[in-house]
Amino acid sequence: MKIFGASSFQIASFGGVGVLILFLIINLVLISRKKSRYLQDINLVASATMVALAVFTFLKLTNTQAPSLSMGVGGWAPPFGIEIKIFLYNSILIVFSALSMLLVFLSLRTERLPNAVHPLFLLLFIGVFGVLHSGDIFNIFVYLEIMTVASYGLVSVSEEEGRYNTALYYAFPMALVSTLFLLGIFLIYSTYGTLNLYQLRMLCAHTAMFPLALFGTGMVVAALIFESALFPFYLWKTKVMSTTNVPASFFFGSVSPVLCFYLITRMMTVFNLRSIPQLDALLVTLAVITGVVVAVMAFYSRNLLEALAYGSIAQIAFALFLFVVATPSNNLALYSFVHLLNTMIFETLIFGSLMLRGQLTGEYMEPLFSTGILSSIGVPLTSGFVSKYFALYYTLRISPLLFTLSVVFVIASVAYGINAYNLRKNFHYRRIARTSPVALSVLFIFFALTFFLGIHYRPLISLAEAMRSSLEVCG
Amino acid sequence: MMEHVLSILLISAGIMVVVFAKSFMKKVMGLGIIVNGMHAYLVASAYRQGGVAPILTPGMKLGGFVGSAVDPLPQALILTSIVIDISVTAVLLALYIRAVESGEIP
């Protein structure tokens, strides 16, 4: 069966965004007719559908010979048509985003938030999945804008005073950064005549970039560095995360950094930016300063969500550091992906246990939260230990300077982990009588993964290797 | 070339407004000026002297069409960008109004 020139398999693989748009329309109809009591169940169905589609695509991709699945929307070939492309790297992130979406909508069953957050979160995840599916830089921009516009609204939904001010504090610089991103895209287009990432990669692979395109690429990377909240742009994230509601904090602390790392690594691969040593030096410097600054700030923070925000910035800075200092002769790029996978697991455990505090009794919540913190510190037998151990081991073999810089990141993780563990007592909890089995089982997947991958680390390394090579081949 | 210079001037004027204006409303207007300057820049880059619309009509010779048809993509990019810019401006102004109403901004 073919619809708009796409096979049923292509529709199942690439149709996630379309499915969410349908659910968004249902949400808006329900809210406008004042029948919002069905919202929670409907959005849980939407999340479960996304998880099923994401897992299906991932399994299908691992069982086929082709390194990527690609589709030109409406049958148009690039550069005129929009290309949607899935390879192993982004398919894993799609599975992670779908699980995060499920956690968010599970938490909304007990969070006391207005009904308007349901369509806003759906819009947010439409943006996330759109960014991950896109094989075209302008399409990435469009979905990033959808994501950020939804997040402006979400930041303003909390019980804290000054929430609109915080939303503006976040929204205006972000709008400026989006403008920078767009200008970069226009400069790239006016130089190369295409915005398709694969075509751009072919054009940039063997020749030096034209100065105008290089300037445009620099703008795109600068915009992504701002969105990743690396030094000196980290303040927006900590202010936003400590003021907004917990599910939105989860998004900013867990999903958003992973997405930024994905975009930076993809842009660096597409535009062959690793061949520019000055950019490498700049990124390493930014990452290291970020690690030091956020370690100090996290240690002295008195707000749990703020400390966690600093922590999430430090983890992504560490992954970026490993990615940038990697060369073809060392294994550090591989361990940046291992660290990314670990970050996805422990940040979900930490934020998930806080987010589902209305559905988990203390006897379940405490071990889940503590396991996440232990893994973020890098305690042996947890998956967090694997990436930190290998990063330290290989950097020591390469150069004492890189080893010292890696130690800085490990110290940052320990500092924020200890402080966050102590601050959990000040966090507002509600006592409940019974733990929800659904909430527990979703978080248990991440809990089990933490210890399983901490003891049998080979699957983690294989997965990271597959992600790295898929970026190299299909990026 | 002149079109490029003018669009860069427009972008620079927008940046000046964003940096130096004290009122939030003016800053948002500055953002709009930057985006419109960028649209002008892309239009200038895609401009083709004596170009025709990229639609092949009966009686048109293929060789001549290929040589003179303009690139259709910048129009699509600019149209999408205009819609996004309007949405972002609307959300920013809505947040500003809420902040003023709640007394967070005097």
Side-chain angles (χ1 to χ4, degrees):
Chain A
M1 184 186 68
K2 288 209 167 205
I3 301 171
F4 294 122
S7 67
S8 49
F9 167 66
Q10 283 178 321
I11 290 168
S13 302
F14 300 114
V17 174
V19 169
L20 287 187
I21 291 172
L22 278 179
F23 278 99
L24 180 65
I25 294 168
I26 297 170
N27 269 245
L28 295 175
V29 169
L30 286 175
I31 286 183
S32 66
R33 298 200 170 184
K34 301 196 187 316
K35 288 183 178 170
S36 33
R37 63 181 181 280
Y38 304 115
L39 278 179
Q40 288 171 358
D41 298 330
I42 282 174
N43 289 336
L44 277 179
V45 173
S47 312
T49 311
M50 287 309 294
V51 173
L53 287 178
V55 172
F56 166 77
T57 309
F58 173 70
L59 293 177
K60 199 78 188 171
L61 199 59
T62 48
N63 289 327
T64 51
Q65 296 295 321
S68 67
L69 303 168
S70 168
M71 191 178 96
V73 176
W76 285 69
F80 300 112
I82 294 168
E83 190 193 18
I84 307 175
K85 190 172 186 178
I86 297 182
F87 45 101
L88 206 78
Y89 184 16
N90 60 5
S91 82
I92 289 168
L93 299 189
I94 289 168
V95 173
F96 165 70
S97 305
L99 284 169
S100 304
M101 183 181 166
L102 184 63
L103 275 172
V104 164
F105 283 110
L106 272 175
S107 80
L108 290 184
R109 293 175 79 87
T110 44
E111 288 282 332
R112 288 175 192 150
L113 293 170
N115 289 322
V117 300
H118 286 265
L120 279 175
F121 270 116
L122 272 181
L123 203 58
L124 191 75
F125 279 100
I126 286 173
V128 172
F129 290 114
V131 168
L132 291 170
H133 279 124
S134 294
D136 182 295
I137 191 167
F138 188 73
N139 220 26
I140 287 178
F141 165 76
V142 171
Y143 281 113
L144 268 179
E145 282 299 286
I146 290 174
M147 202 179 88
T148 47
V149 166
S151 65
Y152 300 158
L154 282 170
V155 169
S156 66
V157 181
S158 82
E159 291 171 357
E160 299 278 333
E161 276 191 24
R163 57 188 187 276
Y164 296 119
N165 219 345
T166 307
L168 281 176
Y169 178 86
Y170 162 63
F172 187 74
M174 206 52 100
L176 203 60
V177 163
S178 300
T179 311
L180 200 70
F181 195 100
L182 186 63
L183 184 57
I185 289 173
F186 284 175
L187 290 177
I188 292 166
Y189 184 76
S190 58
T191 310
Y192 289 115
T194 180
L195 291 173
N196 181 270
L197 289 173
Y198 191 72
Q199 290 184 339
L200 282 170
R201 186 173 176 187
M202 292 296 115
L203 289 167
C204 298
H206 306 296
T207 51
M209 280 181 93
F210 295 101
L212 203 61
L214 191 63
F215 186 56
T217 314
M219 286 183 160
V220 169
V221 173
L224 292 172
I225 287 174
F226 184 92
E227 295 205 14
S228 319
L230 291 189
F231 181 85
F233 308 115
Y234 60 94
L235 285 172
W236 72 261
K237 181 170 250 182
T238 49
K239 185 166 181 179
V240 164
M241 280 181 66
S242 56
T243 312
T244 189
N245 56 78
V246 184
S249 286
F250 164 71
F251 176 80
F252 288 113
S254 181
V255 184
S256 163
V258 170
L259 205 62
C260 286
F261 180 82
Y262 162 75
L263 286 175
I264 291 175
T265 50
R266 198 162 178 201
M267 293 303 146
M268 289 187 78
T269 310
V270 166
F271 293 105
N272 199 18
L273 296 181
R274 298 300 317 281
S275 60
I276 307 170
Q278 294 90 338
L279 182 74
D280 277 4
L282 177 73
L283 283 175
V284 169
T285 312
L286 282 183
V288 173
I289 297 175
T290 306
V292 175
V293 171
V294 299
V296 175
M297 303 289 258
F299 194 71
Y300 290 105
S301 176
R302 297 269 58 89
N303 179 314
L304 176 62
L305 290 174
E306 190 183 79
L308 292 176
Y310 285 124
S312 91
I313 297 170
Q315 301 301 343
I316 282 310
F318 189 29
L320 198 61
F321 167 77
L322 292 175
F323 184 80
V324 175
V325 296
T327 59
S329 59
N330 66 41
N331 264 340
L332 290 177
L334 171 65
Y335 295 106
S336 79
F337 286 94
V338 174
H339 189 66
L340 180 76
L341 285 168
N342 282 331
T343 305
M344 281 154 55
I345 296 170
F346 65 69
E347 293 286 2
T348 307
L349 256 184
I350 294 169
F351 281 100
S353 60
L354 295 178
M355 211 166 46
L356 296 174
R357 66 198 184 283
Q359 295 164 60
L360 296 172
T361 52
E363 61 185 322
Y364 289 107
M365 211 186 79
E366 279 282 328
L368 290 170
F369 182 82
S370 309
T371 306
I373 292 289
L374 290 176
S375 184
S376 75
I377 290 173
V379 170
L381 299 182
T382 62
S383 62
F385 173 73
V386 179
S387 56
K388 289 190 173 70
Y389 169 77
F390 280 111
L392 290 176
Y393 177 74
Y394 280 103
T395 48
L396 183 62
R397 283 178 57 173
I398 297 164
S399 95
L401 176 67
L402 286 183
F403 174 73
T404 314
L405 295 177
S406 300
V407 169
V408 169
F409 285 103
V410 175
I411 292 170
S413 303
V414 175
Y416 112 84
I418 291 171
N419 197 28
Y421 186 75
N422 290 331
L423 287 172
R424 85 197 186 287
K425 294 168 203 151
N426 305 340
F427 196 69
H428 171 68
Y429 298 117
R430 262 172 284 148
R431 288 187 184 281
I432 55 159
R434 202 172 67 85
T435 284
S436 154
V438 181
L440 186 63
S441 52
V442 176
L443 280 184
F444 185 76
I445 295 171
F446 291 91
F447 178 79
L449 274 176
T450 303
F451 288 110
F452 176 76
L453 297 175
I455 297 163
H456 304 283
Y457 60 85
R458 292 207 186 282
L460 188 67
I461 306 279
S462 312
L463 199 59
E465 177 55 36
M467 284 166 81
R468 191 189 64 80
S469 55
S470 78
L471 177 68
E472 289 296 324
V473 174
C474 314
Chain B
M1 189 62 194
M2 195 60 196
E3 298 89 343
H4 284 95
V5 173
L6 284 175
S7 53
I8 291 168
L9 277 177
L10 204 57
I11 294 171
S12 312
I15 294 171
M16 295 280 278
V17 175
V18 167
V19 173
F20 294 111
K22 290 203 169 72
S23 151
F24 182 78
M25 297 286 270
K26 284 182 186 164
K27 282 182 187 285
V28 174
M29 285 162 74
L31 208 62
I33 295 171
I34 297 175
V35 174
N36 283 309
M38 281 157 42
H39 294 163
Y41 180 84
L42 194 60
V43 168
S45 302
Y47 178 72
R48 193 169 194 175
Q49 186 87 39
V52 297
I55 302 164
L56 189 61
T57 48
M60 206 180 254
K61 284 183 181 165
L62 193 63
F65 174 75
V66 171
S68 58
V70 295
D71 183 357
L73 212 57
Q75 295 179 46
L77 299 181
I78 291 170
L79 196 63
T80 316
S81 170
I82 288 170
V83 175
I84 291 171
D85 181 44
I86 289 173
S87 317
V88 172
T89 308
V91 173
L92 285 176
L93 293 180
L95 283 172
Y96 181 68
I97 291 168
R98 282 293 181 96
V100 172
E101 279 177 353
S102 63
E104 289 176 21
I105 293 177

